Coordinates of all heavy atoms in Angstrom, one line a residue:
M114 N 0.9 -1.2 0.0 CA 0.0 0.0 0.0 C 0.9 1.2 0.0 O 1.8 1.3 0.8 CB -0.9 0.0 1.2 CG -1.7 1.2 1.4 SD -2.8 1.0 2.8 CE -2.3 2.4 3.7
T115 N 0.6 2.2 -0.9 CA 1.4 3.4 -0.9 C 0.7 4.4 0.0 O -0.5 4.5 0.1 CB 1.4 4.0 -2.4 OG1 2.0 3.0 -3.2 CG2 2.2 5.2 -2.5
R116 N 1.6 5.1 0.7 CA 1.0 6.0 1.7 C 0.5 7.3 1.1 O 0.9 7.7 0.0 CB 2.1 6.4 2.8 CG 3.3 7.1 2.3 CD 4.3 7.2 3.5 NE 4.6 5.9 4.1 CZ 4.3 5.7 5.4 NH1 3.9 6.6 6.2 NH2 4.6 4.5 5.9
P117 N -0.4 8.0 1.8 CA -1.0 9.2 1.2 C 0.1 10.3 1.1 O 1.0 10.4 1.9 CB -2.0 9.6 2.3 CG -2.3 8.4 3.1 CD -1.0 7.6 3.0
T118 N 0.0 11.1 0.1 CA 0.9 12.3 -0.1 C 0.0 13.5 -0.5 O -1.2 13.4 -0.8 CB 1.8 12.0 -1.3 OG1 1.1 11.8 -2.5 CG2 2.7 10.7 -0.9
Y119 N 0.7 14.6 -0.5 CA 0.0 15.8 -1.1 C 1.1 16.8 -1.6 O 2.3 16.6 -1.3 CB -0.9 16.5 0.0 CG -0.1 17.0 1.2 CD1 0.4 18.4 1.2 CD2 0.1 16.2 2.3 CE1 1.0 18.8 2.3 CE2 0.8 16.7 3.4 CZ 1.3 18.0 3.4 OH 1.9 18.5 4.5
Q120 N 0.7 17.7 -2.4 CA 1.6 18.7 -3.0 C 1.5 20.0 -2.3 O 0.4 20.4 -2.0 CB 1.4 18.8 -4.5 CG 1.8 17.6 -5.2 CD 2.0 17.8 -6.7 OE1 2.3 18.9 -7.1 NE2 1.9 16.7 -7.5
A121 N 2.6 20.7 -2.1 CA 2.6 22.0 -1.5 C 3.9 22.7 -1.9 O 5.0 22.1 -1.9 CB 2.6 21.9 0.1
A122 N 3.8 23.9 -2.3 CA 5.0 24.7 -2.7 C 5.8 24.0 -3.8 O 7.1 24.1 -3.7 CB 5.8 25.2 -1.5
G123 N 5.2 23.3 -4.7 CA 6.0 22.7 -5.8 C 6.7 21.4 -5.3 O 7.5 20.9 -6.0
C124 N 6.4 20.9 -4.1 CA 7.0 19.7 -3.6 C 5.9 18.6 -3.4 O 4.8 19.0 -3.1 CB 7.7 20.0 -2.2 SG 9.0 21.2 -2.2
L125 N 6.4 17.4 -3.4 CA 5.5 16.3 -3.0 C 5.9 16.1 -1.5 O 7.0 15.8 -1.1 CB 5.8 15.0 -3.8 CG 4.9 13.9 -3.4 CD1 3.5 14.1 -3.9 CD2 5.4 12.6 -3.9
V126 N 4.9 16.1 -0.6 CA 5.0 15.9 0.8 C 4.6 14.5 1.1 O 3.4 14.1 0.8 CB 4.3 17.0 1.6 CG1 4.5 16.7 3.1 CG2 4.7 18.4 1.3
V127 N 5.4 13.8 1.8 CA 5.1 12.4 2.3 C 5.1 12.4 3.8 O 6.2 12.3 4.4 CB 6.1 11.4 1.7 CG1 5.7 10.0 2.0 CG2 6.4 11.6 0.2
P128 N 3.9 12.4 4.4 CA 3.9 12.4 5.9 C 4.3 11.0 6.4 O 3.8 10.0 5.8 CB 2.5 12.7 6.2 CG 1.9 13.3 5.0 CD 2.6 12.7 3.9
V129 N 5.1 10.9 7.4 CA 5.5 9.6 8.1 C 5.1 9.9 9.5 O 5.9 10.5 10.3 CB 6.9 9.3 7.8 CG1 7.3 8.0 8.6 CG2 7.2 9.1 6.4
R130 N 3.9 9.4 9.9 CA 3.4 9.7 11.3 C 3.9 8.6 12.3 O 4.0 8.9 13.5 CB 1.9 9.7 11.2 CG 1.4 11.0 10.5 CD -0.1 11.1 10.5 NE -0.5 12.4 10.0 CZ -0.5 12.7 8.7 NH1 -0.3 11.8 7.8 NH2 -0.9 13.9 8.3
E131 N 4.2 7.4 11.8 CA 4.6 6.3 12.7 C 6.1 6.3 13.0 O 6.8 6.9 12.3 CB 4.2 5.0 12.2 CG 5.0 4.5 10.9 CD 4.4 4.9 9.6 OE1 3.8 6.1 9.5 OE2 4.5 4.1 8.7
I132 N 6.4 5.7 14.1 CA 7.8 5.4 14.4 C 8.3 4.3 13.4 O 7.7 3.3 13.3 CB 8.0 4.9 15.9 CG1 7.6 6.1 16.8 CG2 9.5 4.5 16.1 CD1 7.6 5.6 18.3
V133 N 9.4 4.6 12.7 CA 9.9 3.6 11.8 C 10.9 2.7 12.5 O 11.9 3.3 13.1 CB 10.5 4.2 10.6 CG1 11.1 3.2 9.6 CG2 9.5 5.1 9.9
D134 N 10.7 1.4 12.6 CA 11.6 0.5 13.3 C 11.7 -0.7 12.5 O 11.2 -0.8 11.4 CB 11.1 0.3 14.7 CG 9.7 -0.3 14.8 OD1 9.2 -0.9 13.8 OD2 9.1 -0.2 15.9
I135 N 12.4 -1.7 13.0 CA 12.6 -3.0 12.3 C 11.3 -3.7 11.9 O 11.3 -4.4 10.9 CB 13.6 -3.9 13.0 CG1 13.0 -4.4 14.3 CG2 15.0 -3.3 13.1 CD1 13.8 -5.5 15.0
A136 N 10.3 -3.4 12.6 CA 9.0 -4.1 12.3 C 8.3 -3.6 11.1 O 7.6 -4.3 10.4 CB 8.0 -4.0 13.5
N137 N 8.5 -2.3 10.8 CA 7.8 -1.7 9.6 C 8.8 -1.0 8.6 O 8.3 -0.5 7.6 CB 6.8 -0.7 10.1 CG 7.4 0.5 10.8 OD1 8.6 0.6 11.0 ND2 6.5 1.4 11.2
A138 N 10.1 -1.1 8.8 CA 11.0 -0.4 7.9 C 10.9 -0.8 6.5 O 11.0 0.0 5.6 CB 12.5 -0.6 8.4
A139 N 10.8 -2.1 6.2 CA 10.7 -2.6 4.8 C 9.4 -2.0 4.1 O 9.5 -1.6 3.0 CB 10.6 -4.1 4.8
R140 N 8.3 -2.0 4.8 CA 7.1 -1.4 4.3 C 7.3 0.1 4.0 O 6.9 0.6 2.9 CB 5.9 -1.6 5.2 CG 4.6 -1.0 4.6 CD 3.4 -1.2 5.5 NE 3.7 -0.8 6.9 CZ 3.6 0.5 7.4 NH1 3.4 1.4 6.5 NH2 3.8 0.7 8.6
V141 N 7.8 0.8 5.0 CA 8.0 2.3 4.8 C 9.0 2.5 3.7 O 8.8 3.4 2.8 CB 8.4 3.0 6.1 CG1 8.7 4.4 5.9 CG2 7.3 2.8 7.2
R142 N 10.1 1.8 3.6 CA 11.1 1.9 2.5 C 10.4 1.7 1.2 O 10.6 2.5 0.2 CB 12.2 1.0 2.7 CG 13.3 1.1 1.6 CD 14.4 0.1 1.8 NE 15.2 0.5 2.9 CZ 15.5 -0.2 4.0 NH1 15.0 -1.5 4.1 NH2 16.2 0.2 4.9
G143 N 9.6 0.7 1.1 CA 8.9 0.4 -0.2 C 7.9 1.5 -0.5 O 7.8 1.9 -1.7
D144 N 7.2 2.0 0.4 CA 6.3 3.1 0.2 C 7.0 4.3 -0.3 O 6.6 4.9 -1.3 CB 5.5 3.5 1.5 CG 4.5 2.5 1.9 OD1 4.2 1.6 1.2 OD2 4.0 2.7 3.1
L145 N 8.1 4.7 0.3 CA 8.8 5.9 -0.1 C 9.4 5.7 -1.5 O 9.4 6.6 -2.3 CB 9.9 6.2 0.9 CG 9.4 6.7 2.3 CD1 10.6 7.0 3.2 CD2 8.6 8.0 2.1
T146 N 10.0 4.5 -1.7 CA 10.5 4.2 -3.1 C 9.5 4.4 -4.1 O 9.7 5.0 -5.2 CB 11.2 2.8 -3.1 OG1 12.2 2.8 -2.2 CG2 11.7 2.5 -4.5
T147 N 8.3 3.8 -3.9 CA 7.2 3.9 -4.9 C 6.8 5.3 -5.1 O 6.7 5.8 -6.3 CB 6.0 3.0 -4.4 OG1 6.4 1.7 -4.3 CG2 4.9 3.1 -5.4
V148 N 6.6 6.0 -4.0 CA 6.2 7.4 -4.1 C 7.2 8.3 -4.9 O 6.8 9.1 -5.8 CB 5.9 8.0 -2.7 CG1 5.8 9.5 -2.7 CG2 4.6 7.4 -2.2
I149 N 8.5 8.1 -4.5 CA 9.5 8.9 -5.2 C 9.6 8.6 -6.7 O 9.7 9.5 -7.5 CB 10.9 8.7 -4.4 CG1 10.8 9.3 -3.0 CG2 12.0 9.3 -5.3 CD1 12.0 8.9 -2.1
R150 N 9.6 7.4 -7.0 CA 9.7 7.0 -8.4 C 8.5 7.4 -9.3 O 8.7 7.8 -10.4 CB 9.9 5.5 -8.5 CG 11.2 5.0 -8.0 CD 11.7 3.8 -8.7 NE 12.9 3.2 -8.1 CZ 14.1 3.6 -8.3 NH1 14.3 4.7 -9.0 NH2 15.1 3.0 -7.7
R151 N 7.3 7.5 -8.7 CA 6.1 7.8 -9.4 C 5.8 9.3 -9.5 O 5.0 9.8 -10.3 CB 4.9 7.1 -8.8 CG 4.9 5.6 -9.1 CD 3.7 5.0 -8.5 NE 3.7 3.6 -8.8 CZ 2.8 2.7 -8.2 NH1 1.9 3.2 -7.4 NH2 2.9 1.4 -8.4
C152 N 6.4 10.1 -8.6 CA 6.0 11.5 -8.5 C 6.6 12.3 -9.6 O 7.7 12.0 -10.1 CB 6.4 12.1 -7.1 SG 8.1 12.5 -6.9
T153 N 5.9 13.4 -10.0 CA 6.5 14.3 -11.0 C 7.2 15.5 -10.4 O 8.1 16.0 -11.0 CB 5.3 14.8 -11.9 OG1 4.3 15.4 -11.1 CG2 4.8 13.7 -12.8
P154 N 6.9 16.0 -9.2 CA 7.7 17.1 -8.7 C 9.1 16.6 -8.5 O 9.4 15.5 -8.1 CB 7.0 17.5 -7.3 CG 5.7 17.0 -7.4 CD 5.7 15.8 -8.3
L155 N 10.1 17.5 -8.7 CA 11.5 17.2 -8.5 C 11.9 17.3 -7.0 O 13.0 16.9 -6.7 CB 12.4 18.0 -9.4 CG 12.2 17.8 -10.9 CD1 13.0 18.7 -11.7 CD2 12.4 16.3 -11.3
R156 N 11.1 17.9 -6.2 CA 11.4 18.0 -4.8 C 10.4 17.2 -4.0 O 9.2 17.3 -4.1 CB 11.4 19.4 -4.3 CG 12.5 20.3 -5.0 CD 12.6 21.7 -4.5 NE 11.3 22.4 -4.8 CZ 10.9 23.4 -4.0 NH1 11.6 23.9 -3.1 NH2 9.7 24.0 -4.3
V157 N 11.0 16.4 -3.1 CA 10.2 15.5 -2.2 C 10.6 15.8 -0.8 O 11.7 15.9 -0.4 CB 10.4 14.0 -2.5 CG1 9.6 13.1 -1.6 CG2 10.1 13.7 -4.0
V158 N 9.5 16.0 0.1 CA 9.8 16.2 1.5 C 9.2 15.1 2.3 O 8.0 14.8 2.2 CB 9.1 17.6 2.0 CG1 9.3 17.7 3.5 CG2 9.7 18.7 1.2
V159 N 10.0 14.4 3.0 CA 9.6 13.4 4.0 C 9.3 14.1 5.3 O 10.2 14.7 5.9 CB 10.6 12.2 4.2 CG1 10.1 11.3 5.2 CG2 10.8 11.5 2.9
D160 N 8.0 14.2 5.7 CA 7.6 14.9 6.9 C 7.5 14.0 8.1 O 6.5 13.3 8.2 CB 6.3 15.6 6.6 CG 5.9 16.6 7.7 OD1 6.7 16.9 8.5 OD2 4.7 16.9 7.7
L161 N 8.5 13.9 8.9 CA 8.5 13.0 10.1 C 7.8 13.6 11.2 O 8.0 14.8 11.6 CB 10.0 12.8 10.5 CG 10.9 12.1 9.6 CD1 12.3 12.0 10.2 CD2 10.4 10.7 9.2
H162 N 6.8 12.9 11.8 CA 6.0 13.4 12.9 C 6.5 12.8 14.2 O 6.3 13.5 15.2 CB 4.5 13.0 12.7 CG 3.9 13.7 11.5 ND1 2.8 14.5 11.7 CD2 4.2 13.8 10.2 CE1 2.4 15.1 10.5 NE2 3.3 14.6 9.6
A163 N 7.0 11.7 14.2 CA 7.4 11.0 15.5 C 8.7 11.7 16.1 O 9.6 12.1 15.4 CB 7.6 9.5 15.3
A164 N 8.7 11.7 17.4 CA 9.9 12.2 18.1 C 11.0 11.1 18.1 O 12.2 11.5 18.2 CB 9.5 12.5 19.6
V165 N 10.6 9.9 18.0 CA 11.6 8.8 18.1 C 12.0 8.4 16.7 O 11.2 8.3 15.8 CB 10.9 7.5 18.8 CG1 11.9 6.4 18.8 CG2 10.5 7.9 20.2
L166 N 13.3 8.3 16.5 CA 13.8 7.9 15.2 C 14.9 6.8 15.5 O 15.9 7.1 16.1 CB 14.5 9.1 14.5 CG 14.9 8.8 13.0 CD1 13.8 8.4 12.1 CD2 15.6 10.0 12.5
T167 N 14.6 5.6 15.0 CA 15.4 4.5 15.2 C 16.5 4.4 14.1 O 16.4 5.1 13.1 CB 14.6 3.2 15.2 OG1 14.1 3.0 13.9 CG2 13.5 3.2 16.2
R168 N 17.5 3.5 14.3 CA 18.5 3.3 13.3 C 17.8 2.8 12.0 O 18.2 3.2 10.9 CB 19.5 2.3 13.8 CG 20.6 2.0 12.8 CD 21.4 3.3 12.5 NE 22.2 3.1 11.2 CZ 22.6 4.1 10.5 NH1 22.5 5.3 11.0 NH2 23.3 3.9 9.4
A169 N 16.8 2.0 12.1 CA 16.0 1.5 11.0 C 15.4 2.7 10.2 O 15.4 2.7 9.0 CB 15.0 0.5 11.4
G170 N 14.9 3.6 11.0 CA 14.3 4.8 10.4 C 15.3 5.7 9.6 O 15.1 6.2 8.5
V171 N 16.5 5.8 10.2 CA 17.6 6.5 9.5 C 18.0 5.8 8.2 O 18.1 6.5 7.2 CB 18.8 6.6 10.5 CG1 20.0 7.2 9.7 CG2 18.5 7.5 11.7
E172 N 18.1 4.5 8.3 CA 18.4 3.7 7.1 C 17.3 3.9 6.0 O 17.7 4.0 4.8 CB 18.6 2.3 7.4 CG 19.9 2.1 8.2 CD 20.0 0.7 8.8 OE1 19.1 -0.2 8.6 OE2 21.1 0.4 9.4
V173 N 16.1 3.9 6.4 CA 15.0 4.2 5.4 C 15.2 5.5 4.7 O 15.0 5.6 3.5 CB 13.6 4.0 6.1 CG1 12.5 4.6 5.2 CG2 13.3 2.6 6.4
L174 N 15.5 6.5 5.5 CA 15.7 7.9 5.0 C 16.9 7.9 4.0 O 16.8 8.5 3.0 CB 15.8 8.9 6.1 CG 14.6 9.2 6.9 CD1 14.9 10.1 8.1 CD2 13.5 9.8 6.1
E175 N 17.9 7.3 4.4 CA 19.1 7.2 3.5 C 18.8 6.5 2.2 O 19.2 6.9 1.2 CB 20.3 6.5 4.3 CG 20.8 7.4 5.4 CD 21.8 6.7 6.3 OE1 21.8 5.4 6.3 OE2 22.6 7.4 7.0
A176 N 18.0 5.4 2.3 CA 17.6 4.7 1.1 C 16.7 5.6 0.2 O 16.9 5.6 -1.0 CB 16.9 3.4 1.5
A177 N 15.8 6.3 0.8 CA 14.9 7.2 0.1 C 15.7 8.3 -0.6 O 15.5 8.6 -1.8 CB 13.9 7.8 1.0
H178 N 16.8 8.8 0.1 CA 17.6 9.8 -0.5 C 18.3 9.2 -1.8 O 18.4 9.8 -2.8 CB 18.7 10.2 0.5 CG 19.7 11.1 -0.1 ND1 19.5 12.4 -0.4 CD2 21.0 10.9 -0.5 CE1 20.6 13.0 -1.0 NE2 21.5 12.0 -1.0
A179 N 18.8 8.0 -1.7 CA 19.5 7.3 -2.8 C 18.5 7.2 -4.0 O 18.9 7.4 -5.2 CB 20.1 6.0 -2.4
V180 N 17.3 6.8 -3.8 CA 16.3 6.7 -4.8 C 16.0 8.0 -5.5 O 16.0 8.1 -6.7 CB 15.0 6.0 -4.3 CG1 13.9 6.1 -5.3 CG2 15.2 4.6 -3.8
A181 N 15.9 9.0 -4.6 CA 15.7 10.4 -5.2 C 16.8 10.8 -6.1 O 16.6 11.4 -7.2 CB 15.4 11.4 -4.0
V182 N 18.0 10.7 -5.6 CA 19.2 11.1 -6.4 C 19.2 10.3 -7.7 O 19.5 10.9 -8.8 CB 20.5 10.9 -5.6 CG1 21.7 11.0 -6.5 CG2 20.6 11.8 -4.4
E183 N 19.0 9.0 -7.6 CA 19.0 8.2 -8.9 C 17.9 8.7 -9.9 O 18.2 8.6 -11.1 CB 18.7 6.7 -8.4 CG 18.7 5.7 -9.6 CD 18.5 4.3 -9.0 OE1 19.2 3.8 -8.2 OE2 17.5 3.7 -9.5
D184 N 16.8 9.2 -9.4 CA 15.8 9.7 -10.2 C 15.9 11.2 -10.6 O 15.0 11.7 -11.2 CB 14.4 9.4 -9.6 CG 13.9 8.0 -9.8 OD1 14.7 7.2 -10.2 OD2 12.7 7.7 -9.5
G185 N 17.0 11.8 -10.1 CA 17.2 13.2 -10.4 C 16.3 14.1 -9.6 O 16.0 15.3 -10.0
K186 N 15.9 13.7 -8.4 CA 15.0 14.5 -7.5 C 15.8 14.9 -6.3 O 16.8 14.3 -6.0 CB 13.8 13.7 -7.2 CG 13.0 13.4 -8.4 CD 11.8 12.4 -8.2 CE 11.1 12.1 -9.5 NZ 10.4 10.9 -9.5
R187 N 15.3 15.9 -5.6 CA 15.9 16.3 -4.3 C 15.0 16.0 -3.2 O 13.8 16.3 -3.2 CB 16.1 17.8 -4.4 CG 17.2 18.2 -5.4 CD 17.4 19.7 -5.5 NE 16.3 20.2 -6.4 CZ 15.8 21.4 -6.4 NH1 16.4 22.3 -5.7 NH2 14.9 21.7 -7.3
L188 N 15.6 15.3 -2.2 CA 14.8 14.9 -1.0 C 15.2 15.8 0.2 O 16.3 16.1 0.4 CB 15.2 13.4 -0.6 CG 14.4 12.9 0.6 CD1 13.1 12.4 0.1 CD2 15.2 11.8 1.2
R189 N 14.2 16.2 0.9 CA 14.3 17.0 2.1 C 13.6 16.2 3.2 O 12.7 15.5 2.9 CB 13.6 18.4 2.0 CG 14.1 19.2 0.8 CD 15.5 19.7 1.0 NE 15.9 20.6 -0.1 CZ 16.6 20.1 -1.1 NH1 16.9 18.9 -1.2 NH2 17.0 21.0 -2.1
V190 N 14.1 16.4 4.4 CA 13.4 15.8 5.6 C 13.0 16.9 6.5 O 13.8 17.8 6.9 CB 14.4 14.9 6.3 CG1 13.8 14.3 7.6 CG2 14.9 13.8 5.4
S191 N 11.7 16.9 6.9 CA 11.2 17.7 7.9 C 11.1 16.9 9.2 O 10.3 16.0 9.3 CB 9.8 18.3 7.5 OG 9.2 18.8 8.6
A192 N 12.0 17.2 10.2 CA 12.0 16.5 11.4 C 11.6 17.4 12.5 O 12.4 18.2 13.1 CB 13.4 15.9 11.7
R193 N 10.3 17.5 12.9 CA 9.8 18.5 13.8 C 10.2 18.4 15.2 O 10.2 19.3 15.9 CB 8.3 18.6 13.6 CG 7.6 17.3 13.5 CD 6.1 17.4 13.3 NE 5.7 17.4 11.9 CZ 4.6 18.0 11.5 NH1 3.8 18.5 12.3 NH2 4.3 17.9 10.2
H194 N 10.6 17.2 15.6 CA 11.0 17.0 17.0 C 12.5 17.0 17.1 O 13.3 16.4 16.4 CB 10.5 15.6 17.5 CG 9.0 15.6 17.7 ND1 8.4 16.1 18.8 CD2 8.0 15.1 16.9 CE1 7.1 16.0 18.7 NE2 6.8 15.4 17.5
P195 N 13.0 17.8 18.1 CA 14.4 17.9 18.4 C 15.1 16.5 18.5 O 16.3 16.4 18.1 CB 14.5 18.7 19.6 CG 13.3 19.5 19.7 CD 12.2 18.6 19.1
L196 N 14.5 15.6 19.2 CA 15.1 14.3 19.4 C 15.4 13.6 18.0 O 16.4 12.9 17.8 CB 14.3 13.4 20.3 CG 14.2 13.8 21.7 CD1 13.2 12.9 22.5 CD2 15.6 13.7 22.4
A197 N 14.4 13.7 17.1 CA 14.6 13.1 15.8 C 15.8 13.7 15.1 O 16.7 13.1 14.5 CB 13.4 13.2 15.0
R198 N 15.9 15.1 15.1 CA 17.0 15.8 14.5 C 18.3 15.4 15.2 O 19.3 15.3 14.5 CB 16.8 17.3 14.6 CG 15.6 17.8 13.7 CD 15.6 19.3 13.5 NE 15.5 20.0 14.7 CZ 14.4 20.2 15.4 NH1 13.2 19.8 14.9 NH2 14.4 21.0 16.5
E199 N 18.3 15.2 16.5 CA 19.5 14.8 17.2 C 20.0 13.5 16.7 O 21.2 13.2 16.6 CB 19.3 14.8 18.7 CG 20.5 14.5 19.5 CD 21.6 15.6 19.5 OE1 21.4 16.7 18.9 OE2 22.7 15.4 20.1
V200 N 19.1 12.5 16.5 CA 19.5 11.2 16.0 C 20.1 11.3 14.7 O 21.2 10.7 14.4 CB 18.3 10.2 16.0 CG1 18.6 9.0 15.2 CG2 17.8 9.9 17.4
L201 N 19.6 12.2 13.8 CA 20.1 12.4 12.5 C 21.5 13.0 12.6 O 22.4 12.6 11.8 CB 19.2 13.2 11.6 CG 17.9 12.5 11.3 CD1 16.9 13.6 10.7 CD2 18.1 11.4 10.3
R202 N 21.7 13.9 13.5 CA 23.0 14.5 13.7 C 24.1 13.5 14.3 O 25.2 13.4 13.7 CB 22.9 15.7 14.7 CG 24.3 16.5 14.8 CD 24.2 17.5 15.9 NE 24.2 16.8 17.2 CZ 25.2 16.2 17.8 NH1 26.3 16.1 17.3 NH2 25.0 15.7 19.0
I203 N 23.7 12.7 15.3 CA 24.6 11.8 15.9 C 25.0 10.7 15.0 O 26.2 10.3 15.0 CB 23.9 11.2 17.2 CG1 23.8 12.2 18.3 CG2 24.7 9.9 17.7 CD1 23.0 11.8 19.5
T204 N 24.1 10.2 14.1 CA 24.4 9.2 13.2 C 25.2 9.7 12.0 O 25.7 8.9 11.2 CB 23.2 8.5 12.7 OG1 22.3 9.4 12.0 CG2 22.4 7.8 13.8
G205 N 25.2 11.0 11.8 CA 25.9 11.6 10.7 C 25.0 11.6 9.4 O 25.4 12.1 8.4
A206 N 23.8 11.2 9.6 CA 22.8 11.2 8.4 C 22.5 12.6 8.0 O 22.2 12.8 6.8 CB 21.5 10.5 8.8
D207 N 22.7 13.6 8.9 CA 22.4 15.0 8.5 C 23.5 15.5 7.5 O 23.3 16.6 6.9 CB 22.3 15.9 9.7 CG 23.6 16.0 10.5 OD1 24.5 15.1 10.4 OD2 23.7 17.0 11.2
L208 N 24.6 14.8 7.3 CA 25.6 15.2 6.4 C 25.1 14.8 4.9 O 25.6 15.4 4.0 CB 26.9 14.6 6.7 CG 27.5 14.9 8.0 CD1 28.7 14.1 8.3 CD2 27.8 16.4 8.1
L209 N 24.3 13.8 4.9 CA 23.7 13.3 3.6 C 22.4 13.9 3.3 O 22.1 14.4 2.2 CB 23.6 11.8 3.6 CG 22.9 11.1 2.4 CD1 23.8 11.2 1.2 CD2 22.6 9.6 2.8
L210 N 21.5 13.9 4.3 CA 20.1 14.4 4.2 C 20.0 15.9 4.5 O 20.7 16.4 5.3 CB 19.2 13.6 5.1 CG 19.2 12.1 5.0 CD1 18.5 11.5 6.2 CD2 18.6 11.7 3.7
L211 N 19.2 16.6 3.8 CA 18.9 18.0 4.1 C 17.8 18.0 5.1 O 16.6 17.7 4.7 CB 18.6 18.7 2.8 CG 19.7 18.8 1.8 CD1 19.2 19.3 0.5 CD2 20.9 19.6 2.3
V212 N 18.1 18.2 6.3 CA 17.2 18.1 7.4 C 16.7 19.5 7.9 O 17.6 20.4 8.0 CB 17.8 17.4 8.6 CG1 16.8 17.3 9.8 CG2 18.3 16.0 8.2
H213 N 15.4 19.7 8.1 CA 14.8 21.0 8.5 C 14.0 20.7 9.7 O 13.4 19.7 9.9 CB 14.0 21.5 7.4 CG 14.8 21.8 6.1 ND1 15.5 22.9 5.9 CD2 15.0 21.0 5.0 CE1 16.2 22.8 4.7 NE2 15.8 21.6 4.2
A214 N 13.9 21.8 10.5 CA 13.2 21.7 11.8 C 11.6 21.7 11.6 O 10.9 21.3 12.6 CB 13.6 22.8 12.7
D215 N 11.1 22.1 10.5 CA 9.7 22.1 10.3 C 9.4 22.0 8.8 O 10.3 22.2 8.0 CB 9.0 23.3 11.0 CG 9.6 24.6 10.5 OD1 9.9 24.8 9.3 OD2 9.7 25.6 11.3
L216 N 8.1 21.8 8.5 CA 7.7 21.6 7.1 C 7.9 22.9 6.3 O 8.4 22.8 5.2 CB 6.3 21.1 7.1 CG 5.7 20.8 5.7 CD1 6.6 19.7 5.0 CD2 4.3 20.3 5.8
P217 N 7.5 24.0 6.8 CA 7.7 25.2 6.0 C 9.1 25.5 5.6 O 9.4 25.8 4.4 CB 7.2 26.4 6.9 CG 6.2 25.7 7.8 CD 6.7 24.4 8.0
A218 N 10.1 25.2 6.5 CA 11.5 25.4 6.1 C 11.9 24.4 5.0 O 12.6 24.7 4.1 CB 12.3 25.2 7.4
A219 N 11.4 23.1 5.1 CA 11.7 22.1 4.1 C 11.1 22.5 2.8 O 11.7 22.3 1.7 CB 11.2 20.8 4.6
L220 N 9.9 23.0 2.8 CA 9.2 23.4 1.5 C 9.9 24.6 0.9 O 9.9 24.6 -0.4 CB 7.7 23.7 1.8 CG 6.8 22.6 2.2 CD1 5.5 23.1 2.6 CD2 6.7 21.6 1.1
N221 N 10.5 25.4 1.6 CA 11.1 26.6 1.1 C 12.5 26.5 0.8 O 13.2 27.4 0.3 CB 10.8 27.8 2.0 CG 9.4 28.2 2.0 OD1 8.7 28.3 1.0 ND2 8.8 28.4 3.2
A222 N 13.1 25.3 1.1 CA 14.5 25.1 0.8 C 14.8 25.0 -0.7 O 13.9 24.5 -1.4 CB 15.0 23.8 1.5
P223 N 15.9 25.5 -1.2 CA 16.2 25.4 -2.7 C 16.3 24.0 -3.1 O 16.6 23.1 -2.4 CB 17.5 26.2 -2.8 CG 18.1 26.3 -1.5 CD 17.0 26.1 -0.5

């Protein structure tokens, strides 16, 4: 099943409301891959809602980034909770991913 998306400011926004962990990582990875490959906007924002971000969640985001790059698209991450952003910083994923503190910042990024 592909997750719901919507368009805003010329971007495709993909809300991820659940905590991504080993139990659902494969499904979320598949959803994001499908959405990124099928979308026409060149900018995609993964909008993380959960405060908790597991290593499996980080790996899903890194895989989504790779798919976006392969398809000539730009991936942004909106991580609204400071703990999620801290996990991305500690793991070094923020060096690969363009991480923003909120959705408006991610939508307005170049």
